[in-house]
Amino acid sequence: MKKTFLLLAACLLPAVLPAETVTVYHTSDVHGFFYPREGRGGFGALAAVIKDGPEDYLLLDSGDFSNGTVETRNSKGLKAVQLMNKMGYHAATVGNHEFDFKDKGVAPILGAAEFPILAANFYDKSTGKYPAHVAPYKFFEVDDVKVAVIGLANRVPTNPAKSYSYGKPLKALEKALKEVEKQHPDVVLVIVHDSLKDEKHGTQSYVGDIGRKFAGRVHVVMGGHAHQIFQNEYINGVLFVESGCYLDNVSKITIETDDETGKVVSAKSELIPLIVEKTGEDEDMKAYADSLREPGVDVSVGEATETLSKFPVKEGVQDAPLNVWIADLLKAYSGAQIAIHNNGGTRVDMKQGPVTRRDLIEIHPFDNTVTLVEVDGKFLKKFVKTGFAPRSLFTYSGLEVSYKLNKKGKVKDVELLVDGKPVENRKKYLIATNSYIAGGGSEGFLFKKIPAENKKLAGATTIRDLMEEGLKKGPLSAPETGRIHQR
């Protein structure tokens, strides 16, 4: 009777499928942040986390690794690649900021990488083929599991891609998948420098369509660009992961496959905060990162009496203290009626306490100068309205913006005041903005319509120089906000 009971119990137990596990670590938008900030982040901490994990794994990056700090700026991205080589990255894709050093800076970055640069939609204009050191996909063996990784580049580079062109990402992915599937991979991963939900850039993301169109063929999509965090988001069973920015975190993705059939059984992700007290730092990687530090930039140039946030701090207000301060600096320097600062140009907060040149470079790593532009009120109204996507992409000095929200939460009835008076369509206004936006870069695309004769440099001083000069005048407190507010 006992034997019969045991046999029956065994039959009633759920079948346990033998499985193989693939571990993938993912980063994105590192932007040259090699070292911990306020006890968090850095390659030493990342190396410590990976060392505590399984011996066989993949380490992948979704782009924007080559600029954002003094080390990357001064080396034109090469120090970032050196560190990624040392870390043993298995592959990365091409972000928009890989073009911060223009076309001539791209090839050296690609050539220095000892890991594959994957971008199925990225081409050399002169040949129509993939550029040197770029491939659409790469195969890896991880614990006897055959893994294919496909890359998709961001299509809006920070500087014009004169030597390069881009294809439609979903079309390029379809082509790459057909080639990959001939080799019968067990797992297919996609790294892409675009976001599942990109409100920051005001663009309709195609990334979710990967799950809608390629379910069953793609298993995990790892994105970036918008500096957002997504864990365990699924569309038609496809796992979507984004890991934030500045190496504050790493995502650990665990994929289980059936040992007999090779099919994916499950995929899940976990965000690991790189808090140094908890993770520790790998001494070898920390020492190597420290050897790449730029000298002479960790000296104080002023003091902030409180933290100046790059994000709004009041309900119903869309301008932030740090962006307001920068916009005011532009207006005072240029003598313009109105100054426009693109919020995306402010990369991190200004923390309370001593402020160093390194801090200023991390806040604004671009060597932008100030450009004066003459526009009419009609252009100004269109520019401001277009800048809501849905939150304002810009901060203004000398201009008050008020708006209402409709039932769906969208901005409507935008009103503009200059010196307390409504903006007039035919009236001319002198605007100051940074040279990148004035040239039509990124969210400043409307400035491409302004004739060149209506633009002129306000001087050779960079925005970062203006910030340093402002700090030298005395301790800095957060300015009042409310210039962009809901009625």
Side-chain angles (χ1 to χ4, degrees), residues 5 190 371 400:
F5 174 78
V190 175
T371 300
E400 181 184 346

Side-chain angles (χ1 to χ4, degrees), residues 377-452:
K378 185 177 180 181
F379 173 90
L380 187 56
K381 289 178 181 179
K382 183 177 181 180
F383 182 85
V384 172
K385 289 177 182 177
T386 305
F388 284 105
R391 67 176 187 259
S392 180
L393 300 176
F394 301 95
T395 297
Y396 308 98
S397 181
L399 179 69
E400 181 184 346
V401 180
S402 64
Y403 60 92
K404 293 180 180 178
L405 295 178
N406 64 19
K407 292 180 180 179
K408 294 182 179 180
K410 293 186 177 181
V411 170
K412 68 172 187 177
D413 298 336
V414 178
E415 293 184 358
L416 310 183
L417 299 177
V418 175
D419 296 327
K421 299 177 182 178
V423 169
E424 301 174 30
N425 284 348
R426 295 184 179 181
K427 188 173 180 179
K428 298 294 183 181
Y429 297 90
L430 187 62
I431 289 173
T433 189
N434 69 61
S435 50
Y436 177 67
I437 293 298
S442 190
E443 59 265 43
F445 63 92
L446 286 178
F447 277 103
K448 290 180 180 178
K449 298 180 179 180
I450 303 297

Side-chain angles (χ1 to χ4, degrees), residues 38-292:
E38 299 186 303
R40 183 169 183 170
F43 277 99
L46 175 62
V49 167
I50 292 175
K51 186 173 281 188
D52 279 345
E55 288 187 12
D56 211 359
Y57 62 89
L58 289 179
L59 176 57
L60 306 174
D61 185 84
S62 287
D64 269 11
F65 49 81
S66 59
N67 194 27
T69 61
V70 62
E71 281 77 22
T72 49
R73 188 197 66 167
N74 287 5
S75 69
K76 298 192 184 313
L78 294 180
K79 285 187 177 181
V81 178
Q82 287 176 254
L83 260 171
M84 293 173 78
N85 290 339
K86 178 76 170 176
M87 271 297 311
Y89 271 84
H90 293 92
T93 193
V94 179
N96 54 303
H97 283 284
E98 269 61 86
F99 278 82
D100 278 9
F101 310 107
K102 302 185 178 179
D103 266 23
K104 63 183 180 181
V106 175
I109 290 171
L110 302 179
E114 295 172 3
F115 48 90
I117 302 293
L118 305 179
N121 61 327
F122 184 57
Y123 311 104
D124 186 316
K125 270 187 182 177
S126 64
T127 65
K129 299 179 180 180
Y130 296 110
H133 311 292
V134 174
Y137 56 83
K138 175 77 175 177
F139 282 91
F140 300 92
E141 289 284 336
V142 185
D143 278 335
D144 298 321
V145 177
K146 191 173 186 178
V147 181
V149 182
I150 302 171
L152 295 173
N154 181 272
R155 296 165 293 160
V156 188
T158 53
N159 287 297
K162 296 178 182 179
S163 303
Y164 303 91
S165 64
Y166 297 87
K168 294 180 179 179
L170 296 181
K171 186 176 179 180
L173 177 56
E174 174 66 53
K175 181 182 177 183
L177 275 171
K178 286 181 178 178
E179 294 179 13
V180 160
E181 286 164 349
K182 292 175 183 177
Q183 300 186 47
H184 307 291
D186 300 311
V187 178
V188 177
L189 311 177
V190 175
I191 48 175
V192 53
H193 192 73
D194 276 298
S195 175
L196 182 61
K197 299 174 185 176
D198 189 356
E199 292 182 350
K200 174 183 174 183
H201 297 89
T203 56
Q204 183 63 41
S205 177
Y206 66 87
V207 173
D209 290 335
I210 298 175
R212 288 181 277 273
K213 294 186 177 184
F214 302 107
R217 301 172 70 187
V218 170
H219 301 105
V220 183
V221 179
M222 289 158 275
H225 188 46
H227 296 190
Q228 300 200 85
I229 294 173
F230 292 110
Q231 299 292 311
N232 297 308
E233 294 264 347
Y234 297 89
I235 297 176
N236 289 344
V238 179
L239 172 62
F240 288 81
V241 176
E242 296 182 31
S243 306
C245 58
Y246 306 146
L247 210 58
D248 283 340
N249 317 287
V250 61
S251 291
K252 182 181 181 182
I253 301 151
T254 305
I255 305 160
E256 287 195 354
T257 64
D258 178 76
D259 195 25
E260 294 179 1
T261 66
K263 291 184 178 180
V264 172
V265 175
S266 67
K268 61 183 180 180
S269 63
E270 172 195 2
L271 188 76
I272 302 175
L274 296 178
I275 298 170
V276 174
E277 267 191 9
K278 295 182 178 180
T279 65
E281 290 184 280
D282 178 80
E283 289 302 320
D284 183 46
M285 182 57 63
K286 179 181 182 299
Y288 185 73
D290 283 340
S291 74
L292 299 180

